[in-house]
Amino acid sequence: VSAPRIVDLRAGILEKNDLLAAGLRERFAAAGTSVVNLVSAPGTGKTELLEQLLTRMAATTSVAALVGDCATDNDARRLARAGAPVRQIVTEGMCHLEAELVAQHLDGWNLDGFDLDAIDVLFVENVGNLVCPASYDLGESLRVVLLSVTEGEDKPVKYPALFSSADIAVITKVDLADAVGFDRDAALAALHSVRPGIAVVETSARTGAGVAELADLLRAPASLTATA
Amino acid sequence: VSAPRIVDLRAGILEKNDLLAAGLRERFAAAGTSVVNLVSAPGTGKTELLEQLLTRMAATTSVAALVGDCATDNDARRLARAGAPVRQIVTEGMCHLEAELVAQHLDGWNLDGFDLDAIDVLFVENVGNLVCPASYDLGESLRVVLLSVTEGEDKPVKYPALFSSADIAVITKVDLADAVGFDRDAALAALHSVRPGIAVVETSARTGAGVAELADLLRAPASLTATA
């Protein structure tokens, strides 16, 4: 009996989020900041890849990161090693980031002297979750979904909402592909079945493979529309 | 402004779920069925471990499984190879199983000739998600959380709600421990920091390590209370 109320409420929450996200998108555009929303299952390697991207891109691009987690500031502390500005969002159990949380943390960061206008690429690392972040627009320019070779090739078809909403797919931990018997063709087929033509980059944070290619793509996302 | 409404509604949903779960728990007890709720991130290896458990336990125990996924019946088809009764719950995007879904699928299964009274151990494989399943009691006897060596040792402290609600922790894919530089002591410390004294079983579905030990534990959960 409560189902219709839940659906109404969810639609209301999403509508409010969409409005806030639209405002964020305008704010990012005015600041000249490209925003990358990183989404994946827990343990796919978002933080390790982000550390490499921040380190590599910082030489030529002004980068920063907001990192979300249910609990702990482990990720912000890890990422501080890359030297770029990083701020943690602790969701206190919430399973995804919402536009309001991003806006709040940006405001707090600005009060601490952070200047969005000076940032070319802002990464937002979402909570590790292949379901709930799909519905929450954060005002991002690009949504990048990660899939590790250790997770199973059929994850895109089992979690189609998130994978079909992404602009770029990153296959991570490719150095482990042989050890886990990763079926690359099956993974690519699964990705393209839910998101035909999606750009795919294969990376290993351990060997550094693919990180430069991904960094180039994130610096010049216009090239995506040309190839998509 | 909508926050109090959301909190009220969530509490209402959880209260309704808890009532339904209590009913399921009575039903399982009356049938003499022990129910194991398997929870983990996507790609931790729930289905592969479950296939091995079903195959191994079937020789001496009457086993069956309900498997949840957002989309596809891939898992039920995989598990059918084990020869035990298996039924898929497709949540159509919902990020966790609820008691109502379990009850509905049990009723449908009974109509198809399934007899809960004849089952000693019923596995319920939850949706791959380290956040949302924490709050939803399914009437289970045991909640078993899986953590793979490829995911990162700090997952228990980053997702404390789920790990602290579990009765048994299973570390999976231990055959990959060396390849990924898994820090076993750190993982055990993280597990025990959020759930002191939790029973931990280390498994590899590939080599079969630990599967017999886990099967014994699930057949005779009373031994848990003696050691906890």
Side-chain angles (χ1 to χ4, degrees):
Chain A
V1 289
S2 61
R5 280 181 60 213
I6 299 171
V7 171
D8 286 350
L9 189 74
R10 282 193 183 147
I13 294 169
L14 289 175
E15 190 180 331
K16 182 184 163 205
N17 185 77
D18 281 349
L19 287 172
L20 286 167
L24 276 176
R25 191 166 278 110
E26 285 178 22
R27 186 170 161 188
F28 294 142
T33 306
S34 177
V35 176
V36 178
N37 182 3
L38 291 177
V39 292
S40 81
T44 302
K46 287 183 296 304
T47 311
E48 192 149 346
L49 183 67
L50 182 52
E51 184 175 350
Q52 296 226 353
L53 286 169
L54 291 176
T55 304
R56 175 176 290 270
M57 294 174 75
T60 58
T61 312
S62 175
V63 290
L66 278 171
V67 292
D69 263 309
C70 292
T72 84
D73 63 349
N74 289 6
D75 286 359
R77 286 189 287 109
R78 275 175 67 183
L79 290 169
R81 298 187 298 216
V86 174
R87 197 172 179 103
Q88 181 83 44
I89 303 177
V90 176
T91 67
E92 291 175 4
M94 200 165 69
C95 52
H96 58 274
L97 292 181
E98 297 186 1
E100 187 168 13
L101 272 178
V102 171
Q104 282 170 358
H105 282 75
L106 277 179
D107 291 341
W109 211 0
N110 286 341
L111 290 177
D112 289 345
F114 175 76
D115 180 9
L116 187 66
D117 287 332
I119 301 297
D120 300 318
V121 179
L122 172 67
F123 290 93
V124 182
E125 182 185 334
N126 221 307
V127 177
N129 185 330
L130 279 183
V131 188
C132 314
S135 308
Y136 292 87
D137 183 6
L138 305 180
E140 68 260 31
S141 320
L142 289 173
R143 186 174 290 189
V144 178
V145 64
L146 279 63
L147 170 70
S148 73
V149 300
T150 64
E151 278 171 60
E153 297 82 357
D154 65 349
K155 288 296 171 289
V157 294
K158 291 171 89 172
Y159 301 88
L162 191 63
F163 281 91
S164 69
S165 73
D167 301 292
I168 299 174
V170 178
I171 300 177
T172 63
K173 308 190 188 183
V174 296
D175 57 289
L176 294 172
D178 288 343
V180 299
F182 177 63
D183 184 339
R184 180 176 179 271
D185 290 342
L188 291 175
L191 283 168
H192 288 297
S193 74
V194 298
R195 185 63 156 152
I198 190 170
V200 179
V201 183
E202 296 167 73
T203 65
S204 163
R206 182 180 282 181
T207 70
V211 178
E213 180 189 349
L214 180 59
D216 289 345
L217 206 53
L218 298 177
R219 263 197 217 95
S223 63
L224 272 182
T225 46
T227 58
Chain B
V1 288
S2 61
R5 281 182 60 214
I6 298 172
V7 172
D8 286 350
L9 189 75
R10 283 194 183 145
I13 294 170
L14 289 174
E15 189 180 332
K16 183 184 163 204
N17 185 78
D18 281 349
L19 287 172
L20 286 167
L24 276 176
R25 190 166 278 110
E26 285 178 22
R27 186 169 160 190
F28 295 141
T33 306
S34 176
V35 176
V36 178
N37 182 3
L38 290 177
V39 292
S40 81
T44 301
K46 288 183 297 303
T47 311
E48 192 149 345
L49 183 67
L50 182 50
E51 185 176 349
Q52 296 225 354
L53 285 169
L54 292 176
T55 304
R56 174 176 291 271
M57 293 174 76
T60 58
T61 311
S62 175
V63 290
L66 278 171
V67 292
D69 263 309
C70 293
T72 85
D73 63 348
N74 288 6
D75 285 359
R77 286 190 286 108
R78 276 175 68 184
L79 290 169
R81 296 186 300 216
V86 175
R87 196 171 180 105
Q88 182 84 43
I89 302 178
V90 177
T91 66
E92 292 175 4
M94 198 166 71
C95 52
H96 58 273
L97 292 182
E98 297 185 0
E100 187 169 13
L101 271 178
V102 171
Q104 282 169 357
H105 282 75
L106 277 178
D107 291 341
W109 211 0
N110 286 342
L111 290 177
D112 290 345
F114 176 76
D115 180 9
L116 187 66
D117 287 332
I119 302 298
D120 300 318
V121 179
L122 172 67
F123 290 92
V124 182
E125 182 184 333
N126 221 306
V127 178
N129 186 330
L130 279 183
V131 188
C132 315
S135 308
Y136 291 88
D137 182 6
L138 304 181
E140 69 260 30
S141 320
L142 289 173
R143 185 174 291 190
V144 178
V145 65
L146 279 63
L147 170 70
S148 73
V149 299
T150 65
E151 278 170 61
E153 296 82 358
D154 65 350
K155 289 295 169 292
V157 294
K158 291 172 89 173
Y159 300 88
L162 190 62
F163 281 91
S164 69
S165 73
D167 301 292
I168 300 175
V170 178
I171 299 176
T172 63
K173 309 190 188 185
V174 295
D175 55 291
L176 294 171
D178 289 341
V180 299
F182 177 64
D183 184 338
R184 180 176 179 272
D185 290 343
L188 291 175
L191 283 167
H192 289 295
S193 74
V194 298
R195 186 61 156 152
I198 190 170
V200 180
V201 183
E202 296 168 71
T203 65
S204 163
R206 183 181 280 179
T207 68
V211 178
E213 181 189 348
L214 179 59
D216 289 344
L217 207 51
L218 298 177
R219 262 196 219 96
S223 63
L224 273 181
T225 46
T227 58

